[in-house]
Amino acid sequence: MTSRTSLATPTTPPAAGAPGPAPANKPRDTYRWASRSFALPALAIVAVLLYLPFLWTTYLSFTEFNGLGDPEWVGLEKYREMFADAGFFTSVRNTLLWVVGTLVLPVGLGLFIAVLAHDIKGSFWYRLPFLLPYAISGVAVGVIWTFILQTGGALSEALAFLHLPGTELRWLLDAPLNTLVMIVAATWQGAGVNALLFGIGLQSIPKEPIEAARLDGASGWTLFRTMTWPMLAPLTTVVVGLAIVGSLKTFDIIWAMTKGGPGRSSETLALTMYKETFVNNDYGLGAAVAVLLTVVTVAASVLYLRRQLSDSKEL
């Protein structure tokens, strides 16, 4: 307490009649309140556009509601109906396939492209062809790949022309093959932006530790595993986190290519939510799926980020 008082006391006393110095914490408090006032509009927009719809959706999940009249409170009935539906577990399986496939293919391929193009003169131009599909909408990607993968489509015709096996495969009709080929379509669209992000991460790595490791004899896979990959960890956390969230809510490519069919064989939780709400007009069941999907997405993101942040603190 004594030392704090001595620091706050001016070394030169004020002249007689002059006003004393302002309290040391007043400018900081003024800045703090001003910054809070600037943040209030953004917080209000988030609350109105995100939190209030989620609270309304949560309420609807406990009701029977077809979009007309007033919702009727039914408690947990919609959640029991959701778990009793066999098609729901098909959606869960396909959603898990999307999560795993999105982590392995777009993220892995993006990292592979970035490492290959790193330290090459004009590397941006090597990554550009992979980046262009990201500018196309998911629906357009679905239309392009439907032309390629449909029965008797471009791929089947090419395989038949080259006398290669696979012409008998029904790419978009048989499960889980239809889900796997749609993940490939999503990879075509998303690998380029991951390569761009990993390329930025590689450029930010200091050269001195890499050169020191090379002088010690490290090269190739050993150099990447022991030096490059650990220093890419912060960016990898962001890329993988975005990939997990994006895969859990994938909708546009699936809707454009199969609409979740045939039957419900390629549905994900996002499509189940949409169909129950806007096709079957069962807003309560659709809201229950939406609440479950939100809880799973938030839980997966929090668990992954907590694990990565704890690992970075240990390093």
Side-chain angles (χ1 to χ4, degrees):
M1 178 64 74
T2 305
S3 60
R4 183 178 303 175
T5 305
S6 62
L7 289 174
T9 304
T11 54
T12 304
N25 57 350
K26 188 173 181 180
R28 181 178 299 176
D29 290 342
T30 304
Y31 174 77
R32 186 178 300 166
W33 283 108
S35 61
R36 289 173 180 172
S37 65
F38 287 132
L40 279 178
L43 293 175
I45 291 173
V46 171
V48 171
L49 297 182
L50 292 181
Y51 297 143
L52 288 182
F54 177 72
L55 292 176
W56 174 248
T57 302
T58 304
Y59 166 71
L60 285 181
S61 68
F62 296 102
T63 66
E64 180 71 44
F65 184 52
N66 61 3
L68 300 174
D70 296 326
E72 179 186 353
W73 183 267
V74 294
L76 296 174
E77 179 60 29
K78 290 301 173 184
Y79 289 93
R80 283 193 286 267
E81 186 178 342
M82 178 179 68
F83 286 111
D85 183 10
F88 168 76
F89 293 100
T90 302
S91 299
V92 172
R93 182 203 65 185
N94 292 333
T95 303
L96 292 176
L97 281 176
W98 271 95
V99 172
V100 175
T102 302
L103 291 180
V104 172
L105 292 179
V107 175
L109 184 60
L111 177 61
F112 183 70
I113 295 170
V115 172
L116 285 183
H118 183 54
D119 275 345
I120 297 178
K121 187 177 181 180
S123 60
F124 172 78
W125 299 105
Y126 291 100
R127 291 194 294 263
L128 184 60
F130 299 96
L131 189 60
L132 288 178
Y134 190 69
I136 304 174
S137 69
V139 175
V141 172
V143 171
I144 293 171
W145 281 85
T146 300
F147 169 76
I148 297 173
L149 297 171
Q150 63 185 339
T151 303
L155 180 59
S156 298
E157 292 294 331
L159 292 174
F161 178 78
L162 297 173
H163 302 287
L164 294 176
T167 55
E168 74 284 1
L169 292 176
R170 305 189 306 170
W171 303 99
L172 297 178
L173 298 179
D174 295 331
L177 180 62
N178 47 12
T179 296
L180 296 178
V181 295
M182 285 190 288
I183 294 173
V184 173
T187 301
W188 179 74
Q189 184 189 29
V193 69
N194 290 332
L196 178 66
L197 293 174
F198 280 122
I200 294 172
L202 288 171
Q203 290 174 359
S204 67
I205 293 177
K207 296 184 180 302
E208 291 80 6
I210 302 296
E211 293 299 329
R214 283 177 175 158
L215 290 176
D216 290 338
S219 62
W221 170 248
T222 302
L223 178 65
F224 176 79
R225 180 175 56 84
T226 58
M227 297 298 297
T228 307
W229 177 249
M231 287 191 279
L232 266 181
L235 186 67
T236 306
T237 301
V238 175
V239 174
V240 172
L242 292 175
I244 292 175
V245 174
S247 62
L248 286 171
K249 62 181 184 181
T250 300
F251 178 86
D252 45 8
I253 291 180
I254 305 173
W255 186 256
M257 294 183 71
T258 65
K259 288 185 171 55
R264 300 178 63 180
S265 63
S266 61
E267 268 191 24
T268 60
L269 288 175
L271 257 78
T272 302
M273 173 189 66
Y274 177 83
K275 282 186 172 180
E276 296 295 346
T277 304
F278 299 108
V279 177
N280 300 331
N281 290 327
D282 192 342
Y283 283 66
L285 184 55
V289 178
V291 170
L292 176 70
L293 182 59
T294 303
V295 171
V296 171
T297 303
V298 172
S301 303
V302 170
L303 289 175
Y304 174 74
L305 290 177
R306 284 189 61 181
R307 179 179 176 82
Q308 292 301 314
L309 292 176
S310 61
D311 290 345
S312 63
K313 287 180 180 178
E314 291 175 0
L315 292 175

